[in-house]
Amino acid sequence: MNPKKTKFIVGSMLIVGAVAYLISAGISTTSQYFFTVDELMAQTVSYEGAGLKIKGNVVNGSINRDPDDYLKVRFAIEEKESNLQVVYKGITPDMFQDGGEVVVEGTLDKEGVFHANVLMTSCPSKYEAEKEAGKTHPGSLPLDNKKGLESEGSGSKPKTSV
């Protein structure tokens, strides 16, 4: 075999191997399991120490802030019949409240306490309630105004001919 071809093949294999290694390393460090609380509790496999994302609703009255460290919060999340104790240290979102839906990212310890390093909230019910009340999202127009604009707009546009 030609020595140039051999060098080309070896070089190509090294590059492909390096790219494959970087892809697999990137996926393994950033991938996380996503469960709801009841799905996590139903698992027979232990996810202790593994990176997890857990979705649930904050149990009413379970939010306890550490008086010495206001950034440290303990609370419980639930889904159906299961609940999970969560410890989080950081700034809580404005929408973090009793009964609110949250997604936490972190790890589970031996005692079954979830140590979150990311806390995200969502509140679709707030937007649904506003929509039902006739309010609109910023940047959108109420339906009545859109009808008016369409009728005004079609008459005021200059007509062009080719």
Side-chain angles (χ1 to χ4, degrees):
M1 185 180 276
N2 187 356
K4 273 188 161 182
K5 277 188 171 181
T6 305
K7 285 181 182 179
F8 178 75
I9 291 172
V10 170
S12 298
M13 291 177 66
L14 286 174
I15 291 171
V16 169
V19 169
Y21 171 75
L22 290 173
I23 290 172
S24 67
I27 289 172
S28 66
T29 57
T30 59
S31 64
Q32 292 181 330
Y33 293 104
F34 183 84
F35 295 111
T36 60
V37 177
D38 61 322
E39 289 172 344
L40 177 66
M41 295 303 165
Q43 295 294 317
T44 56
V45 179
S46 173
Y47 287 98
E48 179 186 320
L52 300 171
K53 274 187 180 179
I54 310 294
K55 177 185 156 201
N57 294 320
V58 178
V59 175
N60 290 332
S62 68
I63 299 173
N64 292 315
R65 293 191 184 272
D66 187 347
D68 298 328
D69 186 2
Y70 193 71
L71 295 178
K72 190 172 184 179
V73 181
R74 291 183 153 271
F75 59 97
I77 57 176
E78 65 182 358
E79 184 79 28
K80 297 181 182 171
E81 301 295 323
S82 304
N83 68 29
L84 176 69
Q85 294 294 318
V86 179
V87 176
Y88 173 71
K89 185 171 184 175
I91 298 171
T92 56
D94 292 339
M95 300 299 291
F96 179 68
Q97 60 189 358
D98 286 339
E101 186 177 288
V102 294
V103 175
V104 289
E105 293 181 29
T107 57
L108 197 61
D109 69 7
K110 292 178 184 177
E111 291 82 32
V113 176
F114 192 79
H115 296 268
N117 50 25
V118 174
L119 171 64
M120 296 180 282
T121 60
S122 64
C123 187
S125 61
K126 175 184 173 189
Y127 301 114
E128 289 172 4
E130 288 181 353
K131 189 176 179 180
E132 290 174 4
K135 294 182 180 179
T136 59
H137 189 271
S140 64
L141 297 171
L143 291 176
D144 296 338
N145 289 348
K146 285 183 180 176
K147 289 178 184 174
L149 288 175
E150 289 173 359
S151 62
E152 291 174 10
S154 62
S156 63
K157 287 183 180 177
K159 294 183 179 180
T160 57
S161 60
V162 179

